[in-house]
């Protein structure tokens, strides 16, 4: 009940006090904002400059991260021969053109590339076969090679 009375009368009170104080000029908007913050005008201006600088730093970091992600996406597009994306190119250009990947991402990409190269090799394909023991296969190959060398040494034709 008190809430309803306050909302109904509060608005009327504000209108009434606003019309009574109409002869007063509020002056500079910065001064009233500075006084509301409890600062002097110089402190308030310094505070505003600091806010603007922090916002610019955050925007620069955000742009850099977007460019790094775009570089990563373009790397994978090149790797898998996918069509290029115009937005990625523009994000890289906005960040200054030459964007380096973070070390962690570059390391992950390098590890993935090494794994794919290993799988693409003949030994990688053999290792992926189930029931195949590469250690015993290697031992057998070395034993066979040793036998061939011994028999080549005993051969009279050579």
């Amino acid at each position: 009940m008190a809430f309803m009375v306050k909302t109904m009368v509060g608005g009327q009170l504000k209108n009434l006090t606003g019309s009574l104080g109409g002869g007063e000029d509020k002056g500079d908007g910065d001064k009233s904002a500075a006084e509301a913050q409890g600062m002097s005008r110089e402190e308030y201006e310094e505070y505003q400059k600091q806010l603007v600088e922090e916002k610019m730093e955050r925007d620069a970091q955000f742009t850099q991260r977007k460019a790094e992600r775009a570089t990563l996406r373009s790397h994978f597009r090149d790797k898998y021969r996918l069509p290029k994306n115009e937005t990625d190119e523009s994000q890289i250009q906005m960040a200054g053109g030459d964007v380096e990947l973070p070390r962690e991402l570059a390391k992950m990409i390098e590890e993935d590339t090494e794994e794919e190269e290993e799988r693409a090799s003949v030994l990688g394909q053999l290792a992926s076969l189930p029931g195949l023991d590469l250690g015993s296969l290697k031992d057998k190959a070395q034993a066979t090679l040793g036998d061939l060398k011994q028999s080549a040494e005993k051969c009279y034709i050579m």
Side-chain angles (χ1 to χ4, degrees), residues 89-141:
E89 298 297 325
S90 66
Q91 286 176 350
I92 293 170
Q93 292 300 321
M94 284 177 49
D98 189 26
V99 178
E100 293 287 325
L101 287 177
R103 289 182 180 162
E104 296 89 23
L105 290 176
K107 189 175 180 181
M108 287 171 45
I109 290 172
E110 187 176 313
E111 289 172 358
D112 287 345
T113 305
E114 288 174 0
E115 287 177 10
E116 288 177 5
E117 288 174 356
E118 185 178 311
R119 286 186 202 139
S121 71
V122 174
L123 289 177
Q125 294 293 329
L126 287 175
S128 65
L129 293 174
L132 183 66
D133 185 20
L134 283 181
S136 63
L137 185 63
K138 182 180 176 184
D139 292 340
K140 288 179 185 177

Side-chain angles (χ1 to χ4, degrees), residues 26-40:
K26 290 205 176 190
D28 194 12
D30 286 340
K31 186 175 182 181
S32 63
E35 289 174 358
Q37 295 284 333
M39 300 180 209
S40 69

Side-chain angles (χ1 to χ4, degrees), residues 13-134:
L13 263 172
K14 285 183 184 178
N15 289 339
L16 180 63
T17 56
S19 63
L20 289 177
E24 248 182 78
D25 192 281
K26 290 205 176 190
D28 194 12
D30 286 340
K31 186 175 182 181
S32 63
E35 289 174 358
Q37 295 284 333
M39 300 180 209
S40 69
R41 183 180 181 132
E42 294 82 24
E43 289 174 337
Y44 185 72
E45 289 175 359
E46 176 92 15
Y47 175 71
Q48 290 297 331
K49 286 180 186 178
Q50 205 173 26
L51 287 177
V52 169
E53 288 174 1
E54 288 174 0
K55 184 180 183 326
M56 288 173 47
E57 287 176 13
R58 283 193 310 270
D59 289 344
Q61 288 175 348
F62 181 69
T63 303
Q64 181 68 23
R65 286 189 195 120
K66 283 176 69 173
E68 288 172 355
R69 290 183 199 121
T71 303
L72 184 65
R73 285 191 300 268
S74 65
H75 168 77
F76 283 121
R77 283 193 177 94
D78 290 343
K79 181 178 179 180
Y80 296 113
R81 296 182 185 102
L82 298 172
K84 295 188 179 199
N85 190 347
E86 295 291 326
T87 57
D88 286 345
E89 298 297 325
S90 66
Q91 286 176 350
I92 293 170
Q93 292 300 321
M94 284 177 49
D98 189 26
V99 178
E100 293 287 325
L101 287 177
R103 289 182 180 162
E104 296 89 23
L105 290 176
K107 189 175 180 181
M108 287 171 45
I109 290 172
E110 187 176 313
E111 289 172 358
D112 287 345
T113 305
E114 288 174 0
E115 287 177 10
E116 288 177 5
E117 288 174 356
E118 185 178 311
R119 286 186 202 139
S121 71
V122 174
L123 289 177
Q125 294 293 329
L126 287 175
S128 65
L129 293 174
L132 183 66
D133 185 20
L134 283 181

